[in-house]
Every structure is written in C-alpha cells, then in structure tokens.
Amino acid sequence: MKIEQSNIASLPTKYGKFKIKAYKEGNQEHLAIMSLDFKEIETPYVRIHSECLTGDTLGSLKCDCQNQLDLAMRFIAKEGGLII
C-alpha cells in the first residue's frame, strides 16, 4: 500500500515554532511535528505519542495524555527533535 505524504508546513504554537508533515496509509493518518533544526540534529529526541481525543483535545482529567503532550512539545521546542 502506498504512503501519501503532505508538504511540510509551519506550525507556530504556544511552545515555539515547529514544522509539521502528515502521512497517510489507507485509513491511517499520522503527524510528524519537528523542531526547526530537526534535519541538522545528529541524534534527535523522539516522542511517539498515542493519540487521545478526550485527553489531548478536551482536557479530560481521566488521563494524563494532554500533560504528556505538553511536556513533549516544551522539550522538543527547547532541545530539538520530533513528535510522532
């Protein structure tokens, strides 16, 4: 099955500026959120984040997914790397 890729776009956030790219294979879609210096980093930090609609988007108190994503975004903005 062919993997479709989007163009890289700018993603300004409250944590800093990032680049973002989408990948799609069949009905599965994934995002790669990269620090601006991602391509220059020899050994980048990588966070594989599990999507959680209620935690990430709605701020549900039943899980800590939003806190994990916030921490990852802050860390990658500062140290460089990638969030998948």
Side-chain angles (χ1 to χ4, degrees):
M1 188 170 285
K2 182 180 175 187
I3 297 175
E4 299 175 47
Q5 299 181 37
S6 72
N7 292 325
I8 295 175
S10 295
L11 179 67
T13 73
K14 64 183 179 181
Y15 309 105
K17 295 179 181 179
F18 296 90
K19 297 289 185 183
I20 189 167
K21 185 171 185 165
Y23 297 85
K24 182 175 182 181
E25 181 181 20
N27 63 355
Q28 294 287 320
E29 295 183 33
H30 303 282
L31 292 176
I33 301 170
M34 302 158 273
S35 60
L36 296 181
D37 63 349
F38 175 71
K39 290 189 177 191
E40 288 86 45
I41 301 172
E42 186 174 332
T43 307
Y45 291 102
V46 177
R47 159 77 180 169
I48 300 173
H49 185 74
S50 60
E51 178 185 14
C52 176
L53 176 65
T54 57
D56 294 342
T57 306
L58 304 174
S60 171
L61 299 176
K62 288 187 173 185
C63 64
D64 65 350
C65 298
Q66 186 177 34
N67 292 337
Q68 291 177 17
L69 184 57
D70 286 346
L71 180 62
M73 295 285 287
R74 288 180 204 283
F75 185 86
I76 296 299
K78 182 179 177 187
E79 300 294 332
L82 167 74
I83 300 170
I84 300 171

